[in-house]
Amino acid sequence: MDYETVIGLEVHAQLLTRSKMFCACSAEYQNAPPNTHVCPVCLGMPGVLPVINQRAVEYTVMTGLALNCSVNLHSKFDRKNYPYPDLMKGYQISQYDQPLCVGGWLQIEVDGHEKRAGITRVHLEEDTAKLTHRLTQVETYSLVDVNRSGVPLMEIVGEPDLRSPEEARQYLIKLRRILQYIGVSTGNMEEGSFRCDANISLRPRGSQELGAKVEVKNMNSFRAVFRALEFEEQRQRQLLDAGQRIPQETRGWVEELGETVSQRSKEFAHDYRYFPEPDLTPMECAP
Ligand SMILES: [Zn+2]
């Protein structure tokens, strides 16, 4: 059967601010010894209060404008609750139903054809700590570096408008170039300042319905994104041709194997119990 590939990208970009999102710690933590850029706020100590980094808000609005988005004049932060060792407070301050920017587009060119890919939203949140998993002959353990915790992180969610791995690659190249040009992010993928998760599904050509989507993570170069999506396209096509169902799941790209492997099932949506962040006032942007 002839299938159409449907791809949507979620990009996380660290913002080039001097301090972190909600405290005065330096956000320039690359190359710093572990756990040296920390304070009670980004360590998630009880009783501390976050303060919004104005420059991070400005950078997010600039990005929204560069991506042809509307800027929400009323915006707020929300708590996204989930327990994980890299999340110091047990919740992440993010934006849920009132993100800073919505409804834009990015112009890309593939094989001489111009195309507009929709941007669903651009919102602001805080990065998590970094975990390093170690495996020795006698034990396995994980190390936590809190330097990254609280670094301003912008999430750019794209519409499922991309139709090939090459379109996805062009989208990322263009998006990174824009962020670098307006000076809001280094866009360095190897250092993790610019990260991409991809949703990919296949559907019979002509169908309007979306197939079960697979989320692919762990890609830290444009080439890895391209290869992972090509692999996924082929894997899903083979399953569909064999009359099998594609399970909705998260898969990780393994560079050495050149393939994606199942990480967790997504049959049940996460319940993040979002609610408005009570320690921060809503934001009003002057038009
Ligand atoms: Zn701090």
Side-chain angles (χ1 to χ4, degrees), residues 170-229:
Q170 293 306 325
Y171 174 99
L172 288 175
I173 290 172
K174 184 76 176 278
L175 178 59
R176 183 170 77 164
R177 198 177 294 154
I178 289 172
L179 300 189
Q180 289 172 333
Y181 181 76
I182 62 175
V184 302
S185 178
T186 63
N188 189 320
M189 266 185 121
E190 287 72 30
E191 284 180 355
S193 305
F194 185 90
R195 303 170 222 154
C196 168
D197 298 332
N199 289 303
I200 175 168
S201 62
L202 262 57
R203 64 183 174 194
R205 195 169 293 281
S207 163
Q208 291 303 308
E209 228 170 289
L210 288 173
K213 72 178 177 191
V214 169
E215 186 176 22
V216 188
K217 291 178 174 286
N218 297 345
M219 302 164 290
N220 57 8
S221 67
F222 290 141
R223 187 164 170 270
V225 174
F226 182 79
R227 287 180 68 208
L229 289 173

Side-chain angles (χ1 to χ4, degrees), residues 32 41 70 75 79 121 138 156 174 262:
V41 173
S70 323
S75 184
R79 283 191 187 180
R121 56 189 277 156
V138 285
I156 301 159
K174 184 76 176 278
S262 182

